[in-house]
Amino acid sequence: CFVLFSELDGGSEYTSALTRFVDATINDRTYTPEGLVFLDTWGSLRHAMNLAFIANRAADLGFSTDTYRTWALGQLHYVLGSTGRSFVVGYGDNAPQRPHHRSSSCPQYPSSCTDSWAQNQEGPNPHVLYGALVGGPDGNDNYVDDRMDYVQNEVACDYNAAFVGVVAAAVQNSLQ
């Protein structure tokens, strides 16, 4: 809301609230040992990418541009594998192979897919869900690529929405 009202109104009550929020995100939040801003165990990367998206939008509005963009880019680098593990299916080193996603874990057509087959089969999912951001690690950077662990391996539209926005911002900023 602070970003939207800062764009629409530009009043100091909104812009001040926005910069206080982003500054508190950067300076006062908990981080994992490897540098991921950590709000919650469930979908930890979703939260980090949402915060990075907000930081990028605040930078676009002219607030602490270098600081906010650098911080957001650091969060993106974590997601893409700066610590030795990518959290994006089909991308980078040591990428997830077992996202909690039914259609990617079902066998090749025309075989039927039952819940027990999709959940209990061993090995990588038969279908690579390219570009999907998984839930992510715990507060100590621990991550297990296990499709039955939906807390760390679930993929969802809200996980990927801000992630795509942060990637787009990184590309746009690199072209400027």
Side-chain angles (χ1 to χ4, degrees):
C1 290
F2 299 144
V3 170
L4 293 176
F5 281 115
S6 292
E7 289 174 353
L8 293 172
D9 180 89
S12 65
E13 69 180 298
Y14 304 117
T15 59
S16 294
L18 173 59
T19 57
R20 277 194 314 271
F21 176 80
V22 178
D23 289 343
T25 295
I26 293 171
N27 299 312
D28 300 333
R29 294 283 185 177
T30 300
Y31 286 81
T32 68
E34 294 288 339
L36 177 71
V37 64
F38 192 83
L39 273 65
D40 188 43
T41 300
W42 195 305
S44 60
L45 297 175
R46 157 191 48 178
H47 299 301
M49 289 295 92
N50 278 304
L51 292 170
F53 183 84
I54 292 168
N56 272 319
R57 291 300 300 133
D60 290 345
L61 294 172
F63 305 112
S64 300
T65 304
D66 292 338
T67 300
Y68 290 1
R69 285 188 177 149
T70 299
W71 180 84
L73 191 59
Q75 295 301 295
L76 179 61
H77 285 167
Y78 183 102
V79 166
L80 295 177
S82 66
T83 64
R85 166 180 288 285
S86 168
F87 293 96
V88 179
V89 178
Y91 176 84
D93 294 330
N94 204 15
Q97 297 182 4
R98 296 165 190 83
H100 184 82
H101 183 265
R102 179 156 182 173
S103 63
S104 73
S105 59
C106 286
Q108 297 287 343
Y109 182 80
S111 298
S112 67
C113 182
T114 63
D115 285 338
S116 63
W117 192 94
Q119 294 172 0
N120 297 322
Q121 60 133 338
E122 294 193 25
N125 289 5
H127 307 280
V128 179
L129 194 61
Y130 289 103
L133 179 68
V134 297
D138 66 15
N140 290 309
D141 299 301
N142 298 312
Y143 172 78
V144 178
D145 186 12
D146 176 3
R147 81 180 52 80
M148 292 305 294
D149 181 352
Y150 46 85
V151 172
Q152 289 192 334
N153 291 287
E154 181 173 62
V155 297
C157 292
D158 64 311
Y159 288 27
N160 281 269
F163 166 59
V164 171
V166 174
V167 170
V171 170
Q172 177 183 0
N173 295 330
S174 73
L175 298 175
Q176 294 177 348

